[in-house]
Amino acid sequence: MSQQVQVLEPPTTILSEIWARHQTAITRLAAVVIALGLWEWVVRAGKVNPLFLSSPSLVFEKLYEVFADGSIWPHIASSAEIAGLGFAISIVLGVPVGIAMGRSRFIRDSTEPFVMASYASPTVAFLPLIILWLGLGVWSKVVLVVLGAIFVIIINTEVGVSSIDKKLIETGRAFCANEREILFKIIAPAALPFILAGFRLAIGRVLIMVVVAEFYASTSGLGYLIFQAGANYDTALLFAGVFILAGAGVILNSAMRWVEGWIAPWQAKNSD
Amino acid sequence: MIEISNVTHRFGNKRGAAAPANVLENVSFTIADGEFVSFLGPSGCGKTTMLRIIDGIILPSMGNVTIDGTHVRGPAPSRSMVFQEFNLLPWRSAEKNAEFGLELEIQKTKRADRERIAEENLSKLGLKSFGGYFPHQLSGGMKQRVGIARALSTAPKYLLMDEPFGALDPMIRELMQIELLKLLSADNRTIVFVTHSIDEAIFLSDRIFVFGARPGRILDIVPVDLPKPRWVDDEKIKASAPFVAYRQRIWRLMKDELQRGMQHAD
């Protein structure tokens, strides 16, 4: 009766199974390993002076050393303090400003020129002025970080708030929600995925600004460490600092993505 | 009782646009308590606008809207809306969506009561075990059941339904009509139901207000005298001579109106 239909399928082996499942991860890992291998090879083969390029093995050795003797921690702590303060202040100030801009046409029209100009301009240029005003302490660096991070938060929040489905607000009104309830029960949750995406974009800018600020106005921190290492031709230490920053960036970025997926799971599946 | 007298509505003139025809012109009617009334008409005839004016989300440019002797100045808890696109909050589970109206200050309902009422309404709509699902995990029919549960949670005297089954596929749509009648048979709610399906209007309504477009106005009011309850033997009712006669009468009316409108457009 039931004729078995011959289905042509490639024979599955454990290896092909693993490949099918983790293709992206495997490709990424391979690319990184090959790149590091090439780097190691050009230095070891004497094609490049290790003074200028160091090598992966030297960098990892240095990383182990600075973590083992603990000499890196004060620098990380110092950078983290500035990054954390700057990021927190950007959020506390940026989100309400973004919401106000998204809700009120008057506020949007009157603030947009400043926000857009600041967003598009290299805010690092303000550093000398900020140092002039605030000196070389923590706060001049925090202010620079805020200048670097706040506008992307403001803009994302504003877009999230102003692009909200009007039908949802109308639904709230039909159920007699007051203005506060419309804001907290409808607008805020609807804009949350955009706001979180703004935070994620801001993290990258925070890291850049911390390093730049520490180049010029610091006696500690990863930026200072990298700058000093460069001045002393200690390229292994220089790369160690860069690796730590890159690692922090990747980890924070993935963490934010995870938070976004956790808080707004409907976002990905809502495209129908 | 809903009393509408001489309602005319026109949307705000956009700069540069030609003066628009009235969306509604000089519309008057009354709806008695416990009635099921359908607004039937082609797109652009102002039937949805009329529904929103009854709810109070829109205030008419001219005319009077009085509900239970009170002049309507905005939405009120005595009226609940069910929307064509469901308008569920995507970040809330079915249960939390069904609780939404009760959470608002105007309702002042305790958490335990909210949860009980939401659960009761969901199970009345056959969603007992779906309370934890999010809208994106539900089918269109299920989403609208949540929409109806949400509307019923505030125990409104008037249920205003804006093409509630318009986004559903035809078979689910007929099923939902039957379930709506069953659900409403238990209470004496007043329903205003917007649709552009003639059969849907005949099957559900006590009276059908047939709307014409440009300007939006009521062409005719058709009382539907079919046996109740209609969900028993619904296929027989839908094939019965009176049902077919109603359909013919209404279609003739609408066809004339549509053809007149098309000549106008040429």
Side-chain angles (χ1 to χ4, degrees), chain A residues 128-160:
Chain A
L129 189 65
I130 296 167
I131 293 175
L132 201 64
W133 289 348
L134 297 172
L136 291 169
V138 171
W139 290 106
S140 59
K141 279 162 272 179
V142 170
V143 167
L144 188 72
V145 169
V146 171
L147 281 179
I150 195 168
F151 298 107
V152 66
I153 291 177
I154 291 177
I155 289 168
N156 261 271
T157 305
E158 191 233 310
V159 169

Side-chain angles (χ1 to χ4, degrees), chain B residues 17-51:
Chain B
N22 288 337
V23 182
L24 289 165
E25 194 167 274
N26 215 19
V27 175
S28 301
F29 58 81
T30 59
I31 295 174
D33 288 351
E35 255 194 305
F36 194 125
V37 167
S38 285
F39 293 173
L40 176 67
S43 305
C45 68
K47 55 195 193 300
T48 291
T49 305
M50 191 64 243
L51 191 78

